[in-house]
Amino acid sequence: MPERTVTVTDNHSGKSIELPVREPTLGPAAVDIGRFFRELGYFTYDPGFLSTASCHSRLTYLDGAEGKLLYRGYPIEQLAEHSNFLEVAYLMLYGELPDAEQLTSFRNIITHHTMLNEALKDFFRGFYHDAHPMAIMVGVVGSLSAFYHDSTDIGNPQHREIAAHRLIAKMPSIAAASYKHSIGEPQVYPDNRLSYTGNLLNMMFSVPCEEYHVDPVAEKALDLIFILHIDHEQNASTSTVRLAGSSGANPFACIASGIAALWGPAHGGANEAVLDMLREIGDARNIPAFLARAKDRKDPFRLMGFGHRVYKNYDPRARIIRRMCHEVLAKLGDENDPLFELALRLEEIALKDDYFIERKLYPNVDFYSGLIYRALGIPANMFTVMFAIARTVGWVAQWMEMIGEENQRIGRPRQLYTGPSTRDYVTLDRR
Ligand code: ACO
C-alpha cells in the first residue's frame, strides 16, 4: 500500500505541507505533525489530548466504540478467564506469555524482592496516624530511589529490569504497611509461601497474635481485579509516568508521580468516590434526584463510575467485574447488600436515561470494583491503593518501553499563551 499522507494548507499564507501518516496495527492511524511548527509556524492545540497520540506503544490496545481491550494482543476476557496476575505481568514486561520455566523464575524473582529495607519503617512512622494510605504511598515509593541506588542507571537495561521487579514486588508490601500504619497495627512481613495477592491479604489482615488464613475466594477475586487494572494505554497516570521518565528521572520517582496522578477522583480515585456516592444516594427512591443533579451543568455532581474518555460503550472490564461482583458477594459477603442492589438499580435507570444514552455514558471498571473490595473487607481508603498496585505493572512496562526506544527525547508540550503581552514593570509606589 502506498504511504498515506495528509496535506494541510494554511489559508492565510497559502503554503501547503504534506504530512506522513503513521500506520497502526489496530485503530486509527496518526498524522505525524513533527514538522508542523518548523514548516508552518503553528503549534497544534488539543487540550486533554482528545486527538493526539503522545507516543507509539506495543502494549495495550483499546477500542472505545467496540468496548474492546487487548494486552499485547490478547483479549482481556481471555486473560481474565485463563491467566493470573504474575503471568500477565510477565506478558506486559517481556511481550510474550512465559513458558513454565520462565513463569517459575519470574515468580521467584518477584517473591524474593517483596521485603522492604528496614529503615523504611521509620518513614511510615513519620506520617501522621490518620494519613491517607495513598499519601503515604506517594512518599514511600518516591523514597525508594534513596535505598536502591544500584538500580537507577536508566541507561542500563539490567538496572531497568531490576527496578521493574523491585517495584512490582514491593508495592503490596508498601501498600499493606501504609494500611497498617493508618490503623495503628504492626507491619507484617511478606511470606514467600503465599501467592502475590495472598501475600497482600496476609500483610493487610493478619496480626502477630493470631493465625490468619488467606481466603482463596478473596485471593482469586483480587488476582482477577488486578489483571483488569494492569494497563490502559495512555491514561493520565501512565502519561505522567512517561513524561516524568522522559526527563531521565529514576523509575521510583516516575512511579511515585503516577501514583499521585492516579489518586484524582476523575481517575483512580473514582472507586472510592462511587461508594461515597452510593451511600449518599442511600435509597433507590433518591436515584431520580441524583440523576437530575448529574445532568445539571451548574451542579458539579457527576455520576461516579460512569463515563470514560475512550469507552463510548460498556467498559469490558466493568462487564467482567460486574459478573464477579455477584460471585464474590454470594460467597463472601451479602448478595443482598443494599449498596450492591442500589448500584444495580442506578445502572439500570441511568442506562435508560436519554442524557446518558446520548453521551454514551456507561459504567466503567470503578463502578463495581469498590463493591468487591468492600466484600473482601478492604476499607474504602485502600481502594485506589489496590488500583496502584496493579497499575504499577503497566506503568513500569510503559516506562521500560519508552526508555528502551532509540532517539528517546524529553516530553515537552507546547502551549497557547493567552496571558498579557510584554509590559513594563511598575514600581510599588505607582501601582
Ligand atoms: N456524570 C454526568 N455527566 C457526565 C459524566 C458523569 N459521570 N461523565 C461525563 N458526563 C457528561 C459531561 O458533563 C459532558 O456533557 P456535555 O456534553 O453536556 O458537556 C459529556 O458527558 C462528555 O463528558 P466529558 O467530561 O467531556 O468527558 P471526559 O472524557 O472529559 O471525561 C471522565 C471522562 C473524567 C471519566 C468523566 O466521564 C467522569 O468524570 N466520570 C466520573 C468519574 C469516573 O468514574 N472516573 C473513572 C474513570 S475510569 C478510570 O480511571 C479507571
Side-chain angles (χ1 to χ4, degrees):
M1 200 170 71
E3 192 186 75
R4 275 199 280 174
T5 57
V6 166
T7 303
V8 178
T9 304
D10 175 3
N11 292 330
H12 184 67
S13 66
K15 189 174 174 189
S16 281
I17 56 166
E18 198 172 271
L19 298 169
V21 171
R22 304 280 170 220
E23 300 294 345
T25 347
L26 290 170
V31 180
D32 183 339
I33 56 167
R35 292 161 36 222
F36 206 85
F37 174 61
R38 204 171 53 239
E39 298 198 12
L40 283 186
Y42 294 110
F43 295 148
T44 54
Y45 178 63
D46 183 20
F49 295 97
L50 295 178
S51 302
T52 299
S54 60
C55 61
H56 58 83
S57 178
R58 293 176 298 278
L59 286 159
T60 297
Y61 172 72
L62 71 100
D63 181 332
E66 291 280 318
K68 187 169 159 182
L69 173 63
L70 310 176
Y71 289 164
R72 298 275 192 189
Y74 294 102
I76 191 69
E77 292 81 3
Q78 291 181 23
L79 294 171
E81 191 176 342
H82 304 295
S83 192
N84 58 68
F85 179 69
L86 281 187
E87 187 179 69
V88 182
Y90 184 99
L91 170 71
M92 296 308 272
L93 293 184
Y94 299 105
E96 296 298 335
L97 286 167
D99 62 24
E101 203 179 309
Q102 288 166 326
L103 184 59
T104 307
S105 152
F106 184 63
R107 260 207 201 107
N108 271 333
I109 290 169
I110 298 299
T111 306
H112 287 92
H113 274 106
T114 47
M115 285 220 298
L116 300 178
N117 187 304
E118 280 296 294
L120 261 177
K121 280 191 175 169
D122 297 330
F123 274 63
F124 288 95
R125 281 192 207 108
F127 284 98
Y128 201 57
H129 67 89
D130 63 353
H132 195 291
M134 279 298 275
I136 302 181
M137 274 198 97
V138 175
V140 173
V141 173
S143 78
L144 289 179
S145 56
F147 292 88
Y148 302 108
H149 303 283
D150 59 335
S151 59
T152 51
D153 174 5
I154 60 157
N156 181 333
Q158 252 177 329
H159 280 211
R160 297 202 290 267
E161 191 179 23
I162 296 169
H165 292 163
R166 280 185 170 142
L167 277 157
I168 295 168
K170 292 185 196 307
M171 209 54 90
S173 313
I174 294 171
S178 307
Y179 174 57
K180 287 296 198 189
H181 178 78
S182 72
I183 57 169
E185 284 185 5
Q187 285 180 23
V188 176
Y189 285 104
D191 180 340
N192 287 357
R193 290 164 302 182
L194 298 175
S195 70
Y196 191 83
T197 50
N199 211 354
L200 171 62
L201 288 167
N202 186 57
M203 287 188 288
M204 279 180 73
F205 296 122
S206 69
V207 284
C209 47
E210 259 175 39
E211 225 179 311
Y212 173 82
H213 293 289
V214 175
D215 186 316
V217 175
E219 185 181 15
K220 191 163 179 301
L222 209 49
D223 192 87
L224 178 56
I225 299 187
F226 278 8
I227 293 176
L228 301 182
H229 282 90
I230 283 184
D231 197 40
H232 216 223
E233 50 127 292
Q234 307 310 318
N235 55 81
S237 56
T238 302
S239 300
T240 304
V241 170
R242 276 190 178 255
L243 195 56
S246 76
S247 74
N250 74 70
F252 305 106
C254 296
I255 302 306
S257 70
I259 297 173
L262 183 74
W263 195 7
H267 192 10
N271 48 18
E272 191 177 340
V274 169
L275 274 207
D276 291 342
M277 176 191 74
L278 290 174
R279 281 197 202 95
E280 201 187 338
I281 296 175
D283 189 290
R285 278 173 304 194
N286 301 329
I287 292 175
F290 278 89
L291 281 191
R293 284 188 59 194
K295 293 190 260 183
D296 180 358
R297 280 183 170 203
K298 286 188 224 114
D299 190 327
F301 176 79
R302 279 190 162 198
L303 216 53
M304 298 316 287
F306 260 77
H308 196 274
R309 167 58 60 82
V310 183
Y311 290 123
K312 303 300 167 198
N313 199 328
Y314 216 99
D315 177 342
R317 302 165 303 169
R319 224 185 271 286
I320 298 169
I321 224 168
R322 186 182 196 272
R323 238 189 349 258
M324 199 214 324
C325 209
H326 282 284
E327 279 173 34
V328 169
L329 288 176
K331 285 184 191 147
L332 286 184
D334 174 8
E335 217 179 346
N336 302 319
D337 175 356
L339 284 195
F340 182 48
E341 284 186 0
L342 187 60
L344 289 177
R345 189 82 190 106
L346 177 61
E347 179 191 19
E348 189 189 330
I349 297 174
L351 288 177
K352 285 188 196 140
D353 190 293
D354 283 346
Y355 173 94
F356 290 86
I357 295 169
E358 278 161 21
R359 289 167 180 75
K360 298 191 168 63
L361 299 170
Y362 292 86
N364 58 51
V365 66
D366 285 330
F367 191 68
Y368 285 108
S369 60
L371 288 162
I372 299 182
Y373 289 142
R374 204 168 77 108
L376 301 184
I378 295 169
N381 65 1
M382 284 296 286
F383 292 178
T384 315
V385 171
M386 296 289 136
F387 192 161
I389 297 173
R391 186 53 61 86
T392 295
V393 170
W395 290 331
V396 160
Q398 299 262 0
W399 173 81
M400 292 207 350
E401 181 178 66
M402 177 191 67
I403 299 289
E405 264 171 27
E406 273 177 43
N407 306 322
Q408 182 264 321
R409 304 169 83 180
I410 187 167
R412 202 325 186 163
R414 298 295 197 155
Q415 65 165 12
L416 181 64
Y417 177 70
T418 53
S421 49
T422 314
R423 51 183 171 164
D424 289 321
Y425 179 79
V426 181
T427 53
L428 192 57
D429 58 319
R430 296 182 53 216
R431 268 178 252 157

